[in-house]
Amino acid sequence: MGRPPAAQTAIGPMVIAAVEQLQPADRRVVTDPLAVRFLPRVIGMLVRACRWGWWRRKVVALTDGKAPGLWAEMVCRKRYLDDQVRAALDAGIGQLLVLGAGFDTRGYRLAEPPVTVYEIDLPANVATKRARVTAVLGAVPGHVRLVPVDLGTEDLAESLRANGFRFDEPVMVVWEAVTQYLTEAAVRRTLALLGTTAPGSRLAVTFVRQDFLDGTNTYQADGLYQSFVRERRIWLFGQHPDQVASLLAEHGWTEREQLGGAELRQRYLDPVGRGQPVSELERIVTAERA
Ligand SMILES: C[S@@+](CC[C@H](N)C(=O)[O-])C[C@H]1O[C@@H](n2cnc3c(N)ncnc32)[C@H](O)[C@@H]1O
């Protein structure tokens, strides 16, 4: 059986993070030397070929052809979430939970013992990630637990407990570019579980806009809408920006900040003189357990 369609989406964000490393340091928004190394070998070769400007422009155009500004949005999203993780670890939070981690590298770049990192993903991606991490680092570091869980059908609480997760200690949860692949029931079930984490826990989560899901605004991303929402039906869940706070509050979380493309551009691209458009397709939200 092939890799499920949702699992195949793990490559894209990390390709973008990896290609970003080819920017000169004074224009780079996110610094992630592990990104290209964690990607499957063939993909890593394609990324390295982006040193050639014409190839890089082609790869960026392929992404932005589906959704204008998506490339820059993912660059900024990676940076913003790095900042959130750094701040949480600096504040003394000792657990990092990455839901739908894909090939993300934060657990290996930003966290070190005594912080424990729990990476959750579909079994096929966890197996590939384990193989890549082992190839690159020699072994999965002792502070990282790679935990295969299908958030749609399996018991996350049980798997976390079995891997040593402490529900009585604060956690930084990163749930990046995943909620759209889940049903509303699975999103709510996961939020309900996250609502049982310790006070002081923090959450950073992204949501695709509900008006994109229901087709009332395609944000110029008609190709993406046709493919992901209508034909393949792999984007299932969205939220209206002004309804996120109440969804989170139902599960014991207080919204702290919510950003879209305009804020990301202002915060990360304008200061380094990169006036690229940034897609407004999704919102990044941070929240805290009271
Ligand atoms: C677009 S990728 C994002 C990966 C990573 N968070 C990042 O931003 O680099 C979506 C990830 O969610 C995972 N995912 C989708 N549905 C899932 C499910 N039901 N259970 C666990 N993980 C899931 C996919 O396997 C994939 O790794």
Side-chain angles (χ1 to χ4, degrees):
M1 217 174 71
R3 200 171 288 263
Q8 294 169 21
T9 65
I11 301 278
M14 293 314 296
V15 164
I16 291 172
V19 172
E20 176 72 6
Q21 306 317 300
L22 301 169
Q23 290 279 351
D26 60 347
R27 283 172 63 83
R28 192 182 306 142
V29 169
V30 65
T31 297
D32 184 350
L34 281 179
V36 69
R37 302 177 69 204
F38 274 22
L39 283 166
R41 221 181 289 268
V42 178
I43 307 286
M45 282 159 58
L46 295 176
V47 166
R48 288 188 181 94
C50 286
R51 273 192 298 261
W52 291 297
W54 65 268
W55 175 245
R56 183 164 68 238
R57 283 191 291 278
K58 212 173 173 56
V59 173
V60 175
L62 258 175
T63 302
D64 277 6
K66 283 192 222 132
L70 193 58
W71 185 282
E73 198 271 342
M74 287 201 231
V75 168
C76 295
R77 182 181 87 199
K78 284 278 166 208
R79 165 63 186 276
Y80 177 77
L81 294 175
D82 271 17
D83 290 350
Q84 297 306 310
V85 170
R86 280 200 185 91
L89 301 186
D90 285 352
I93 291 182
Q95 304 184 99
L96 173 62
L97 170 59
V98 188
L99 296 174
F103 294 97
D104 186 73
T105 60
R106 292 187 187 101
Y108 311 79
R109 280 185 300 122
L110 307 181
E112 57 185 38
V115 173
T116 309
V117 180
Y118 302 87
E119 290 197 342
I120 307 296
D121 211 302
L122 293 166
N125 275 355
V126 169
T128 310
K129 176 89 171 264
R130 186 182 297 283
R132 284 308 299 152
V133 172
T134 304
V136 172
L137 302 178
V140 176
H143 70 290
V144 180
R145 315 264 185 276
L146 295 176
V147 187
V149 178
D150 183 336
L151 295 171
T153 56
E154 292 178 317
D155 187 348
L156 175 60
E158 189 53 41
S159 301
L160 283 175
R161 271 194 207 96
N163 281 276
F165 184 85
R166 299 285 307 259
F167 280 88
D168 56 353
E169 288 177 14
V171 57
M172 171 74 216
V173 184
V174 177
W175 201 4
E176 178 187 14
V178 185
T179 55
Q180 64 264 41
Y181 298 97
L182 303 176
T183 60
E184 177 169 355
V187 170
R188 286 183 177 275
R189 198 170 52 244
T190 306
L191 277 175
L193 172 71
L194 297 179
T196 65
T197 56
S201 293
R202 301 184 189 184
L203 169 66
V205 55
T206 67
F207 294 102
V208 168
R209 284 174 177 260
Q210 177 58 37
D211 55 2
F212 182 76
L213 265 292
D214 62 31
T216 51
N217 186 345
T218 58
Y219 296 89
Q220 300 169 284
D222 299 272
L224 189 75
Y225 174 72
Q226 281 305 329
S227 165
F228 275 54
V229 182
R230 297 297 297 271
E231 287 157 19
R232 298 164 70 205
R233 295 180 190 277
I234 59 173
W235 278 13
L236 306 170
F237 181 79
Q239 271 293 282
H240 291 296
D242 58 359
Q243 290 174 1
V244 172
S246 60
L247 174 70
L248 295 176
E250 278 176 52
H251 301 285
W253 290 90
T254 305
E255 183 180 306
R256 289 288 177 229
E257 188 173 40
Q258 186 175 146
L259 296 88
E263 294 88 352
L264 290 172
R265 176 179 165 158
Q266 197 176 28
R267 193 173 296 192
Y268 297 118
L269 294 179
D270 290 349
V272 294
R274 286 166 60 176
Q276 293 157 267
V278 182
S279 173
E280 294 287 353
L281 208 55
E282 71 175 3
R283 307 290 287 177
I284 311 183
V285 181
T286 56
E288 228 172 78
R289 292 265 300 131

